[in-house]
Amino acid sequence: MSTSTLPYRKANFPEGVSGEWVLEHFEVPPSPFADPTIDTRPVWARTPPGRYTRLRRGHETFMTDMIDEWWTQLSAIEEARLRGGRILITGLGLGLIAAAILDHPEASVERITIVERSDDVMRLVAPHLLARYADRLEIVAGDAFTWTPPAGVHYSVGWHDIWPNPRDPACRAEIERLEARYAPWCDWQGSWTLPE
């Protein structure tokens, strides 16, 4: 599958700092495997050289807009495309998956609700996303583990992405907690994990 035919878009947000959180640009140099005839890496691992954006707290990166991070969340994009309706995402990050869903030419998504705990992350990211998708996106302040959807609201898709490192053993228990919590409100749920 070619990444050029899918709804991948770099964040291209301006750099900024809010509290402990930093939104910054960084450069990916050309790969030593630039020749595709000898590059045996999977497609999602072949990030083209160029400028990318990351969101970090201290020295810990929580999200980037590199293709590999987007690629590992394609199941959310595909489920949203197939199901349409209202979508719930826990964890704002750079809004990469929300943007991919809303930009998808075949998705009949009515609205995406993103739940984010950090006011600082919202200050850095939310204005730029809302400027693009104001009529189909809402970003609400709340903790994914305690937030409750409004009465009468149901979601076709729930996607959870609150971890800087999905390989952390603690993630499995938290994924189970979130999926159990939102089961009454979501037809389908998934969570960000890296490919095996």
Side-chain angles (χ1 to χ4, degrees):
M1 184 182 303
S2 168
T3 56
S4 64
T5 62
L6 293 169
Y8 165 73
R9 176 204 288 232
K10 290 182 184 180
N12 290 324
F13 300 152
E15 295 183 303
V17 177
S18 185
E20 297 180 293
W21 290 87
V22 178
L23 186 67
E24 64 187 2
H25 302 144
F26 64 101
E27 292 290 326
V28 171
S31 168
F33 304 105
D35 182 347
T37 62
I38 62 170
D39 192 346
T40 59
R41 296 173 302 160
V43 172
W44 59 264
R46 300 180 197 179
T47 296
R51 188 182 81 164
Y52 293 86
T53 304
R54 72 177 148 229
L55 179 68
R56 65 175 172 83
R57 186 176 64 193
H59 296 293
E60 187 170 38
T61 296
F62 272 69
M63 189 171 201
T64 75
D65 61 355
M66 293 172 66
I67 289 176
D68 63 337
E69 192 151 352
W70 164 81
W71 188 271
T72 57
Q73 302 190 57
L74 279 179
S75 59
I77 299 168
E78 183 62 7
E79 289 295 333
R81 182 189 72 79
L82 291 171
R83 296 170 183 269
R86 296 181 67 109
I87 311 296
L88 173 67
I89 297 175
T90 58
L92 173 58
L94 293 172
L96 194 66
I97 301 311
I101 291 169
L102 292 170
D103 286 343
H104 202 297
E106 298 173 15
S108 57
V109 171
E110 296 168 18
R111 191 166 187 81
I112 294 180
T113 298
I114 302 177
V115 180
E116 173 56 48
R117 181 173 66 180
S118 169
D119 291 337
D120 293 316
V121 171
M122 287 192 285
R123 281 188 201 99
L124 291 169
V125 177
H128 310 297
L129 282 176
L130 291 171
R132 288 182 191 166
Y133 308 109
D135 58 335
R136 299 171 64 205
L137 176 68
E138 66 176 339
I139 301 171
V140 298
D143 186 318
F145 294 103
T146 59
W147 183 78
T148 300
V153 173
H154 193 81
Y155 304 97
S156 59
V157 170
W159 183 252
H160 310 293
D161 177 12
I162 62 171
W163 306 276
N165 178 11
R167 287 197 174 108
D168 185 326
C171 287
R172 176 47 52 195
E174 291 184 346
I175 287 170
E176 291 173 1
R177 279 179 60 198
L178 286 174
E179 292 188 359
R181 173 166 183 76
Y182 291 102
W185 292 284
C186 297
D187 295 330
W188 177 92
Q189 293 186 82
S191 299
W192 181 51
T193 53
L194 296 180
E196 300 296 328

